[in-house]
Amino acid sequence: MGFKDYCFRKSLWVFHFGGASCNNCDIEILDCLTPRHDLERFGILLVGSIRHADVLLVNGSINRRDRDRLLELYRQAPKPILVVAIGACGCTGGIFAEGNTFAGPVDKIIPVDAYIPGCPPKPEAIISGIVKLAGKK
Amino acid sequence: MAVYLFYFLIFPGLLFMAVAGALLSWYDRKITARVQFRKGPPLLQPFYDFFKLLLVKETILPKHGSRSVFLIAPLLGVFGAAMAGLFILLPLFDIETGFRGDIIVIFYLLTLPSFSYIIGSLASGNPLAAVGASREMKLIISYELTFLLVVAAVIMKSGQQFDMNSIIETQQTGRPFIGSISGVLLFVAGVFCIQAKLALVPFDMSEAETELASGIYIEYSGPPYAMIKLAKYIMFFILPAFLVAILMNGMNPGVNIIWFILKILGVVLLLTLIRNTNPRLKIKQASGFFLIWMNLLVVVAIVLIAFGL
Ligand code: SF4
């Protein structure tokens, strides 16, 4: 692992995109940032602008309206960017997979680097997923 | 000539200030984490952030707006911060004496980073950045008068001396200015000015993570954002150093260096605790706070100085 790569993996800034989720995954993601779980010890920060992001967290089912927004966000993000699909909805569509407005799970729209299944995944699972992502390669 | 370049680029210039500032910003984040019962980031975190932005990330230019100004503005910020830091640290570390009136020059150079952020964000053509820039402008108008009054009061207290070196010497031969009532009042006003200059929490309305999505920096990515980070790190070191120099008798040679470091850490600790225990103010409240209360405080201090207290 080179110096550049090392710096990148030690300082992942996260941008959170909530699709048409049932809101449980959003709450679990916010849980990761609370004192109990504290993602900052891995250098992970939640940022408000996609221009600063290194990781795009996507949760919830992606419906037809979300798809354009998600694509636009992915295009606006400075590369390299990692995409993490969170929850059963993000990974496969979950209970919404048969829905009328469903526009495919995340990996049909943009390339995904990590999947964190669960409905909703526990904060521990999310942390373990992100740490594995940071240690990849 | 070469020696000045060395001063500017290595010690006590760009490199030294950046490293010191980055460590201080880690200290700030760590204290914040401890206040919130978290563990906090590792020691080298600011360096990881900086090098990641500088070496790894891609720069995205805004479609609307002026690209060259957008890219030059962060460099202007770094230049202003490094220049101001140089004029502060050379007399402070007793390397060069500086010149008559350099405290005024320092005062103007210290505003340069804020102005560069405004210029850069307005050049990006993003509406949220524009809102952030207008807030930053109002904030500058509010705190700058107070800061100037603090500097003026210090000049008055040192017996009309306009350069850093003699201000520090006056304190080292006599006693530090903070050891008097007027000095304490000036210190309070100075700390709040620094808080606003660094855009830390009660006065961070121009960044406003939650409502403006980092406001003035919203369009920056990659190396230009790394430059902004660098300017911020430098400011994080030189502003407390400036306060220590003008009110808390700077640095004596020898082992007293430890005292100097402790003083800086103490000032930063104060800033961090203020930032962690206060909610963000509205811009109107911040203006009122500086224009009425802080100015009043400094005027009282000046009156006290006139009576020799
Ligand atoms: S995965 Fe489950 S918890 Fe998460 S958004 Fe979908 S339905 Fe809700």
Side-chain angles (χ1 to χ4, degrees):
Chain A
M1 212 194 288
F3 176 65
K4 281 186 190 178
D5 224 29
Y6 185 69
C7 288
F8 180 64
R9 281 163 204 286
K10 285 294 239 180
S11 148
L12 295 172
W13 293 354
V14 173
F15 182 88
H16 174 198
F17 177 86
S21 86
C22 77
N23 237 221
N24 268 347
C25 281
D26 303 80
I27 293 170
E28 296 302 317
I29 289 170
L30 289 184
D31 272 352
C32 297
L33 302 163
T34 51
R36 186 173 177 82
H37 300 292
D38 186 25
L39 273 180
E40 204 189 1
R41 64 204 151 110
F42 304 114
I44 295 173
L45 284 184
L46 194 65
V47 292
S49 159
I50 185 69
R51 294 268 195 256
H52 308 163
D54 307 303
V55 179
L56 182 57
L57 282 188
V58 188
N59 71 306
S61 79
I62 306 299
N63 58 28
R64 284 186 217 147
R65 286 199 169 196
D66 291 338
R67 184 178 52 198
D68 301 341
R69 270 95 179 150
L70 185 58
L71 266 176
E72 183 64 19
L73 268 180
Y74 188 72
R75 284 204 301 117
Q76 296 284 329
K79 309 291 174 307
I81 183 134
L82 303 170
V83 180
V84 180
I86 289 198
C89 290
C91 298
T92 62
I95 52 169
F96 301 107
E98 315 257 286
N100 186 26
T101 55
F102 185 67
V106 181
D107 56 2
K108 252 171 77 187
I109 303 166
I110 51 177
V112 173
D113 295 272
Y115 301 86
I116 302 175
C119 183
K122 285 179 131 193
E124 287 88 343
I126 298 180
I127 292 174
S128 126
I130 291 180
V131 169
K132 270 181 200 151
L133 184 68
K136 210 168 78 172
K137 268 202 261 180
Chain B
M1 190 61 217
V3 69
Y4 286 109
L5 267 185
F6 176 78
Y7 285 162
F8 182 73
L9 291 175
I10 317 273
F11 183 87
L14 211 51
L15 188 67
F16 171 71
M17 288 189 280
V19 171
L23 291 177
L24 278 179
S25 102
W26 167 80
Y27 173 71
D28 165 63
R29 280 171 72 175
K30 190 80 180 173
I31 298 278
T32 307
R34 297 310 307 169
V35 168
Q36 298 166 354
F37 300 106
R38 290 190 286 122
K39 196 155 173 286
L43 177 62
L44 293 179
Q45 190 59 44
F47 299 97
Y48 298 144
D49 289 351
F50 177 74
F51 284 113
K52 173 200 74 179
L53 287 169
L54 187 68
L55 299 175
V56 183
K57 299 300 280 188
E58 174 192 34
T59 308
I60 297 187
L61 294 175
K63 187 171 172 192
H64 309 288
S66 162
R67 291 167 190 201
S68 47
V69 178
F70 179 74
L71 288 179
I72 289 172
L75 288 179
L76 185 70
V78 173
F79 172 76
M83 218 51 202
L86 197 64
F87 283 129
I88 294 170
L89 295 186
L90 280 180
L92 187 60
F93 290 161
D94 228 349
I95 304 175
E96 293 259 330
T97 47
F99 52 90
R100 212 174 135 70
D102 61 355
I103 195 162
I104 310 288
V105 176
I106 291 168
F107 172 77
Y108 280 106
L109 283 173
L110 281 178
T111 56
L112 216 53
S114 310
F115 276 115
S116 75
Y117 303 153
I118 293 178
I119 294 169
S121 61
L122 288 178
S124 72
N126 185 312
L128 290 181
V131 175
S134 90
R135 289 184 185 183
E136 177 85 20
M137 262 184 252
K138 286 176 199 146
L139 191 64
I140 290 181
I141 292 171
S142 330
Y143 70 69
E144 210 69 336
L145 180 62
T146 314
F147 197 54
L148 187 62
L149 281 175
V150 171
V151 171
V154 167
I155 291 174
M156 193 170 155
K157 203 163 165 58
S158 68
Q160 318 299 342
Q161 308 206 56
F162 283 84
D163 57 313
M164 288 283 289
N165 201 37
S166 14
I167 288 177
I168 295 171
E169 249 167 32
T170 315
Q171 297 181 66
Q172 285 178 348
T173 46
R175 57 193 187 124
F177 291 161
I178 197 165
S180 57
I181 305 173
S182 55
V184 172
L185 296 185
L186 290 180
F187 181 75
V188 171
V191 162
F192 279 113
C193 285
I194 290 183
Q195 192 89 6
K197 265 186 182 298
L198 291 172
L200 295 179
V201 159
F203 310 111
D204 75 329
M205 49 295 261
S206 63
E207 292 176 30
E209 196 78 46
T210 37
E211 50 190 278
L212 294 183
S214 26
I216 41 181
Y217 313 121
I218 189 169
E219 285 288 333
Y220 279 105
S221 64
Y225 194 48
M227 287 300 124
I228 287 183
K229 282 268 166 215
L230 185 63
K232 293 205 126 199
Y233 291 161
I234 293 177
M235 291 298 270
F236 213 95
F237 173 53
I238 62 173
L239 282 172
F242 184 61
L243 203 64
V244 167
I246 62 174
L247 288 173
M248 299 155 88
N249 92 352
M251 186 180 84
N252 291 318
V255 270
N256 291 314
I257 256 179
I258 296 171
W259 255 118
F260 172 71
I261 295 171
L262 283 182
K263 276 186 268 186
I264 297 253
L265 289 183
V267 173
V268 176
L269 179 66
L270 197 61
L271 297 173
T272 309
L273 289 183
I274 293 175
R275 139 186 143 103
N276 276 306
T277 46
N278 286 282
R280 182 183 311 133
L281 295 175
K282 279 185 264 183
I283 188 74
K284 208 172 120 199
Q285 295 167 324
S287 300
F289 177 75
F290 279 110
L291 287 176
I292 300 173
W293 299 112
M294 282 298 120
N295 284 354
L296 198 66
L297 199 70
V298 183
V299 169
V300 169
I302 291 181
V303 172
L304 287 177
I305 292 170
F307 285 109
L309 281 170

